[in-house]
Structure formats: structure tokens, C-alpha cells
Amino acid sequence: MPISLCPTSEISDPGSKGFLIEQGEITTNIFVVHKDARFYAFVNSCPHTGAPLEWLEHQFLDRDNAFIQCSTHDALFIIDSGLCVAGPCVDDHLTPVELLIENDTLLLQLTGRLHK
Ligand code: FES
């Protein structure tokens, strides 16, 4: 069953927002990026060390809003695919999360557990 995240209007374009998702006793960080009128979601875990990516709360994009940026060692990820193109984990991917939009609300489509 989908989990409601927030109204689509709550995330500016470009912009990003983090969420805590509770599944039983396990809580997983995810984040959503809004860019060019599209939304993308990933588990908030850098493939380099597993660290969360944001440099400030809800800030997942680089200065130009062109890439997702890891604040720990500055890895850069392509927004629409999660592919790392710079930094210590080049060619690794962020773990994507499936989103739905219904009635201008972002929903998380859970097809399994988010944690690895
Ligand atoms: S933890 Fe993300 S680049 Fe090192």
C-alpha cells in the first residue's frame, strides 16, 4: 500500500526533501528531488560509505541544482538515474525508490523493504 509523503507543491523545482519511512521497527531515510517538473526518489545512503547525503536538512543538490551531491566526499550523482559520475564511487548507483503522484500528492510505492 502506498505511503503518502507530501503535496507535490511542497518541494520547489529545483529542490529536494528528505523523509523518514517506518516499516515495522526499521526506519529508512529516503529523499525526493524535484527537477524540470519531474520527481525522483532514492534511499538516502551514499554507495561509498552508506552515509546520508545531505549537507543541510533537505539539501541534496549541488550549488547549481544540476546533480545530487554527497556532502561527505562530494560524490555527484545524475538526478534522473542516481548514477555516480564524480567522486570516490563513480559508476555506482543510488538505490531508486518508486514514486506515484495522485491528486497532486507524492506517494511512495513500496514493493519491498527499503533497507539492504
Ligand atoms: S560518503 Fe558519499 S562520497 Fe564518500
Side-chain angles (χ1 to χ4, degrees), residues 2-102:
I3 295 174
S4 178
L5 295 177
C6 69
T8 54
S9 59
E10 208 168 280
I11 307 176
S12 61
D13 182 358
S16 57
K17 185 173 174 68
F19 298 89
L20 291 177
I21 306 300
E22 294 184 1
Q23 293 176 286
E25 295 179 358
I26 297 172
T27 301
T28 306
N29 285 308
I30 71 155
F31 66 99
V32 175
V33 174
H34 190 187
K35 176 80 189 242
D36 297 334
R38 299 183 66 102
F39 290 91
Y40 309 91
F42 300 94
V43 176
N44 184 7
S45 175
C46 181
H48 183 214
T49 70
L53 287 95
E54 71 270 43
W55 53 279
L56 283 174
E57 189 177 24
H58 305 308
Q59 302 294 318
F60 292 87
L61 298 177
D62 68 347
R63 189 179 306 218
D64 299 327
N65 295 315
F67 294 96
I68 296 163
Q69 183 170 32
C70 178
S71 60
T72 305
H73 306 111
D74 292 331
L76 296 175
F77 302 87
I78 293 176
I79 291 172
D80 63 6
S81 67
L83 174 68
C84 181
V85 292
C89 46
V90 167
D91 291 336
D92 280 345
H93 281 82
L94 298 170
T95 301
V97 178
E98 192 175 343
L99 288 177
L100 300 172
I101 299 176
E102 286 181 9

